[in-house]
Amino acid sequence: MAKILALHGPNLNLLGEREPHIYGSDALDDINQRCQALCISAGHEFNALQSNAEADFIDRIHEARIDGTNFMIVNFGGFTHTSIAIRDAILAAEIPFIEVHLSNLHAREDYRHHSFFSDIAIGSIIGLGSQGYDLALQAAFMRLK
């Protein structure tokens, strides 16, 4: 049994309500419940954190270094384009991860085209809506075999 951690960034607590034409109609609780069910069916443990605060992610990633977390699925929202501090925490943790974004960042504003995480991720799933989380978990399960 592996431990998988999902980290959901700023404003993702508003999924299903905020700009559904961009982010879809699934609420974050729906996504987490699907992820939980997929992990249970594959024999893995699932944990998730959503926060609007950068420090919460840094602290949770530091905790993941020592709590046996084996893999992460991350969507840092707006911090994707700004947070060197979260990047440094991930590098220090040395836990493999997949980056997920609900919208196609490359079809949006120029400042969203750069991610501080894509180059250190196992892979990135961008623009497939909440299905991106399901696909990321499938990929994680294959890597964890």
Side-chain angles (χ1 to χ4, degrees):
M1 173 187 278
K3 289 176 77 170
I4 299 172
L5 173 63
L7 298 174
H8 308 289
N11 301 310
L12 292 175
N13 55 306
L14 300 176
L15 285 178
E17 302 169 23
R18 174 185 174 228
E19 301 175 283
H21 62 285
I22 295 175
Y23 300 109
S25 58
D26 287 345
L28 186 58
D29 284 344
D30 298 331
I31 294 168
N32 282 334
Q33 287 175 13
R34 263 198 342 263
C35 290
Q36 175 80 28
L38 287 168
C39 283
I40 288 171
S41 69
H44 301 301
E45 181 181 329
F46 177 77
N47 294 289
L49 168 71
Q50 186 283 322
S51 181
N52 297 317
E54 190 174 32
D56 291 345
F57 291 120
I58 294 166
D59 290 342
R60 185 61 184 94
I61 293 164
H62 289 179
E63 182 182 323
R65 283 182 70 230
I66 58 174
D67 75 1
T69 296
N70 304 99
F71 207 94
M72 296 187 298
I73 307 296
V74 306
N75 178 349
F76 290 121
F79 292 141
T80 299
H81 322 290
T82 63
S83 186
I84 294 169
I86 295 174
R87 177 190 171 93
D88 288 347
I90 285 182
L91 287 169
E94 299 180 328
I95 298 170
F97 71 97
I98 295 175
E99 178 183 34
V100 173
H101 294 286
L102 300 169
S103 67
N104 181 351
L105 303 178
H106 303 290
R108 298 187 64 196
E109 304 90 344
D110 286 346
Y111 65 86
R112 294 186 194 271
H113 296 184
H114 179 263
S115 166
F116 279 104
F117 305 99
S118 295
D119 66 314
I120 58 173
I122 297 297
S124 298
I125 300 173
I126 297 173
L128 299 179
S130 67
Q131 182 187 18
Y133 286 95
D134 305 340
L135 297 171
L137 281 175
Q138 289 175 17
F141 298 159
M142 293 298 294
R143 287 214 166 247
L144 290 166
K145 283 187 177 181

